[in-house]
Every structure is written in C-alpha cells, then in structure tokens.
Amino acid sequence: MDKPNDDERYMGVAIESAKVAEENGDVPIGAVIVRDGQIIGRAYNQREQLQDPTAHAEIIALTQAAAALENWHLNGCTMYVTLEPCPMCAGALVLSRMDRLVYGCDDPKAGACGSLYNIVTDGRLNHRLQVTTGVLEEECKQQLQDFFKKRRNEKAEAKTQQ
C-alpha cells in the first residue's frame, strides 16, 4: 500500500486533473488511483462533457484502474480525490474493495465519507476503507470556490446584458 507521506504528491496530481475538468466547463474535481507507487487511474469530472450524471472523476478513475489491473477488485489501491466523494462514488469505492481513500476537502452538501453519511467506514457493509482527510485541503477548497465564484459572476453578467 502507498505511504501516507506520498499523499501530498498524489493529491497534487488530482488537483492538476481537476484543472482539466474546469477547462472543459465542469466542476473541478480530480481523482487518482495509485497501487505500489504507480498511477493506474487518473480522471476528472466529465458530467458536462459527456452529458452523463455518473461521469464523476472517481467513477472514471475506478474504471481505468480496473482495466489496468484486469480485475474489479482494487485491493492494495489508494484513491486520491480533491473533494469528499458523494454517495454514488463512496458506494463504488466500497464495492471495488479499495484499501484507502484520501481526499482534500469536505463536501457538506453531498459528502458520504464523513460529512453527511459515512458509507466507506459503515460496519454494516462488507468492506471498509481507511480514510485520510484534509490533504492539501486549502488548495482543493480554493479551486472549487474560485470555479463557483466565476460561474456566479458569469450568470450575473449574462442577466445584466439581457
């Protein structure tokens, strides 16, 4: 399993992936999956680009990692994601048998790894993940705040031009 001292490095890669989402007009969330020091999945939100409500960074990265390993069991893997996963993504992490989740900032509106729910450590489920939070938290939070501030400003400008 990857070492916690690598957390900032891999979260930095997730932040870079999130920038691609923003460039494509999507919420800047990036995810990276690492096993034995190798990145085996790297993705960003593509909901707007693909017009697919399930095209979250985590889901796309899980698909890539499973393809790389030719196995849907992702034992020995760590996911790094800039924002706390939602219920769909948290459920997918449990189902994948991922060992560890590292995320940047909490999601008080939809977080399912401690904020609203705690799917990834729920003892009633057949698998649980080790969770580390707050890695490069300020950078992750600022990236999202800047995106939504820009989006609000664009909407306000469009309204005044009408």
Side-chain angles (χ1 to χ4, degrees), residues 46-65:
Q46 296 182 47
R47 292 183 308 167
E48 297 298 330
Q49 187 178 352
L50 299 175
Q51 291 299 299
D52 178 353
T54 68
H56 290 206
E58 299 96 320
I59 299 298
I60 297 167
L62 283 168
T63 300
Q64 291 175 357

Side-chain angles (χ1 to χ4, degrees), residues 12-22 29-32 42-45:
V13 176
I15 290 169
E16 288 300 314
S17 292
K19 289 178 185 176
V20 179
E22 184 170 7
I29 299 171
V32 174
R42 180 178 179 175
Y44 52 88
N45 267 13

Side-chain angles (χ1 to χ4, degrees), residues 84-149:
E84 178 183 2
C86 72
M88 174 183 69
C89 295
L93 288 167
V94 170
L95 293 172
S96 75
R97 313 299 194 266
M98 179 86 49
D99 283 0
R100 186 166 175 250
L101 167 66
V102 179
Y103 68 84
C105 60
D106 292 336
D107 184 352
K109 293 183 179 182
C113 301
S115 292
L116 291 179
Y117 308 101
N118 205 342
I119 293 170
V120 295
T121 61
D122 190 323
R124 296 170 294 179
L125 300 174
N126 66 337
H127 181 76
R128 284 162 292 292
L129 285 77
Q130 177 188 350
V131 179
T132 303
T133 67
V135 175
L136 299 182
E137 180 177 10
E138 287 307 311
E139 293 92 323
C140 294
K141 190 184 299 186
Q142 193 65 54
Q143 189 176 41
L144 287 161
Q145 289 174 342
D146 290 348
F147 173 80
F148 286 112
K149 181 179 180 181

Side-chain angles (χ1 to χ4, degrees), residues 23 73-74 86 110:
E23 291 166 5
H73 286 129
L74 299 181
C86 72

Side-chain angles (χ1 to χ4, degrees), residues 5 27 40 73 114 131 141 153 158:
N5 61 356
V27 178
I40 60 170
H73 286 129
V131 179
K141 190 184 299 186
N153 289 341

